[in-house]
């Protein structure tokens, strides 16, 4: 799982980071509200662990900003406040769970796993190698790095990922984009060029392959 931890206490942050990385998770960190919001909106995460008392922007505001931006990544809030009103405020701002400090790291991991068991059934996510497409948020990432794709490229990517590692014929890709009325010009080639620039150019291994005379396939290079 790829997790984001937003916590300004360096000791707590280090303990959470060490524990979750030792458990096999990929973890990014932020130590203030604005930095956490930027990472949450530009990265691809399975879950966010969010402290409430943060410099620059508190956890309540950060969580509300995420939800207003359409980000539905699950959030667990951390706080030393255990009053009912504080817990309710956290849940009303869009958090999925609430953990009061001090807490056992094993409990934090158990809550992360429980939330993801509930939410992953509802979220639609496609993955080919290290390329991920979240169909709910229409966000794509590769190796954890967000990809900038226009709507046409997103549609092509979804079509190719659903068929991976199979070959998708040109006609099927044109139908996915334009239905039964494709343009006379070779616009498909232009869109595929943009998709390849985003998906493959910054990375060492290409995933988008041309099958000459047939179409295109997305996946690891079958020739090694």
């Amino acid at each position: 799982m790829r997790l984001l931890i937003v916590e300004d206490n360096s000791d707590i942050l280090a303990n959470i980071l060490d524990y979750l990385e030792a458990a096999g998770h990929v973890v990014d960190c932020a130590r203030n509200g604005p930095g956490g919001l930027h990472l949450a909106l530009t990265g691809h995460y399975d879950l966010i662990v969010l402290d409430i008392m943060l410099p620059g922007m508190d956890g309540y505001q950060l969580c509300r900003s995420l939800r207003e931006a359409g980000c539905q990544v699950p959030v667990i809030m951390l706080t030393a406040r255990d009053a009912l009103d504080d817990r309710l405020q956290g849940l009303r701002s869009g958090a999925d769970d609430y953990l009061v400090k001090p807490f056992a790291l094993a409990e934090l991991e158990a809550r992360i796993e429980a939330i993801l068991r509930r939410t992953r059934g509802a979220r639609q996510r496609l993955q080919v190698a290290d390329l991920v497409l979240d169909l709910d948020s229409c966000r794509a990432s590769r190796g954890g790095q967000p990809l900038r794709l226009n709507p046409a490229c997103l549609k092509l990517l979804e079509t190719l990922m659903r068929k991976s590692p199979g070959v998708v014929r040109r006609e099927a890709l044109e139908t996915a984009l334009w239905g039964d009325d494709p343009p006379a010009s070779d616009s498909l080639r232009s869109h595929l060029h943009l998709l390849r620039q985003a998906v493959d150019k910054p990375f060492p291994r290409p995933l988008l392959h041309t099958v000459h005379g047939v179409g295109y396939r997305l996946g690891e290079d079958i020739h090694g």
Side-chain angles (χ1 to χ4, degrees):
M1 291 182 290
R2 189 172 186 88
L3 308 174
L4 173 62
I5 313 300
V6 189
E7 167 64 67
D8 66 323
N9 184 299
S10 57
D11 291 334
I12 294 175
L13 180 61
N15 287 338
I16 295 174
L17 178 63
D18 289 345
Y19 187 90
L20 293 177
E21 286 188 335
H25 307 302
V26 178
V27 184
D28 290 341
C29 302
R31 297 187 60 177
N32 58 63
L37 180 63
H38 174 74
L39 285 176
L41 291 177
T42 59
H44 182 94
Y45 299 99
D46 296 292
L47 184 139
I48 299 168
V49 178
L50 174 63
D51 187 31
I52 289 179
M53 300 302 293
L54 294 167
M57 173 189 295
D58 67 27
Y60 299 133
Q61 185 180 353
L62 195 160
C63 195
R64 283 194 297 270
S65 297
L66 286 179
R67 299 311 185 220
E68 289 168 1
C71 177
Q72 297 303 316
V73 175
V75 171
I76 296 178
M77 279 193 167
L78 306 178
T79 184
R81 301 175 176 178
D82 61 354
L84 176 60
D85 287 345
D86 294 321
R87 297 198 300 272
L88 291 176
Q89 185 177 353
L91 295 172
R92 287 168 178 161
S93 68
D96 298 86
D97 201 356
Y98 197 102
L99 195 55
V100 177
K101 299 175 181 178
F103 53 85
L105 292 169
E107 181 181 2
L108 173 60
E109 185 184 25
R111 287 178 181 243
I112 290 172
E113 292 173 347
I115 288 176
L116 291 177
R117 280 197 301 270
R118 295 197 303 268
T119 59
R120 277 183 165 171
R123 295 176 66 194
Q124 297 189 62
R125 183 180 178 188
L126 301 175
Q127 182 164 0
V128 176
D130 59 347
L131 176 63
V132 176
L133 175 60
D134 189 316
L135 298 175
D136 292 330
S137 64
C138 293
R139 291 181 179 177
S141 64
R142 183 168 179 190
Q145 299 182 36
L147 306 179
R148 296 174 64 96
L149 299 174
N150 63 31
C153 287
L154 281 169
K155 187 63 180 177
L156 288 174
L157 182 61
E158 178 185 349
T159 303
L160 289 161
M161 291 183 80
R162 288 189 183 278
K163 296 290 187 180
S164 176
V167 178
V168 183
R169 293 184 174 276
R170 288 180 53 88
E171 295 82 0
L173 293 174
E174 290 177 343
T175 299
L177 285 183
W178 299 291
D180 296 327
D181 189 25
S185 61
D186 193 4
S187 297
L188 178 63
R189 186 185 300 273
S190 299
H191 289 305
L192 285 164
H193 174 74
L194 291 175
L195 180 61
R196 182 172 271 125
Q197 291 291 105
V199 168
D200 281 344
K201 187 174 181 181
F203 303 96
R205 293 179 296 106
L207 291 177
L208 181 56
H209 306 281
T210 302
V211 182
H212 294 287
V214 182
Y216 300 84
R217 60 176 292 272
L218 192 74
E220 301 280 8
D221 188 351
I222 57 177
H223 300 296

